[in-house]
Amino acid sequence: MNFKELKQFYSNNFSVGYLNSSQSTRSPFENRIVLISLICYVTYKAKLKNPDATHYQILMKLSDKLGLPDSFIKGLSIVCEDFSYQCTEFPVFGLKGNDIIKEIRAILSTYLPF
């Protein structure tokens, strides 16, 4: 595959560019990084209790009733898996406990299907 084909493949399968952060005090870039880091953190904590837990399983639970397409959840799961490879520390941006889950859901709820 050439660069253009690889870029299109990535966009089709792993893009998190459909998050509308216009309601946020953060930039779109910051929102994406916050989302990925928080998902990685929650998955890491879940793996401590259940080593078989996956980013995909966690994202499925976190996105329940948000109407997100499975292809988006799978792509984001793969990106999170890649970012968290061999990591044990993740920034949580001052959030604690249930606020982490609320922030993930708030960002995910800004998903736009175009």
Side-chain angles (χ1 to χ4, degrees):
M1 283 185 176
N2 64 36
F3 178 79
K4 186 176 179 181
E5 292 167 331
L6 285 171
K7 183 179 172 188
Q8 186 62 47
F9 180 80
Y10 180 88
S11 291
N12 291 343
N13 295 286
F14 309 110
S15 175
V16 291
Y18 297 130
L19 298 174
N20 179 12
S21 62
S22 64
Q23 304 296 321
S24 174
T25 58
R26 294 185 212 105
S27 73
F29 180 81
E30 289 171 315
N31 253 3
R32 291 175 189 131
I33 296 301
V34 168
L35 178 64
I36 291 167
S37 185
L38 294 178
I39 291 167
C40 291
Y41 174 79
V42 170
T43 304
Y44 172 75
K45 289 297 191 178
K47 283 179 175 270
L48 293 176
K49 295 177 183 173
N50 175 9
D52 294 330
T54 67
H55 290 87
Y56 178 73
Q57 291 168 338
I58 298 301
L59 256 172
M60 287 298 291
K61 289 179 184 175
L62 292 172
S63 65
D64 186 42
K65 297 185 176 137
L66 292 179
L68 300 174
D70 192 53
S71 59
F72 174 76
I73 294 170
K74 285 178 181 172
L76 181 55
S77 299
I78 291 167
V79 169
C80 291
E81 180 115 7
D82 183 41
F83 271 65
S84 67
Y85 180 71
Q86 293 190 330
C87 296
T88 58
E89 295 180 25
F90 306 92
V92 293
F93 309 94
L95 298 170
K96 295 179 183 176
N98 212 26
D99 288 339
I100 293 170
I101 304 302
K102 288 177 184 176
E103 185 65 17
I104 292 170
R105 287 187 53 85
I107 296 171
L108 288 173
S109 71
T110 68
Y111 172 82
L112 297 173
F114 48 85

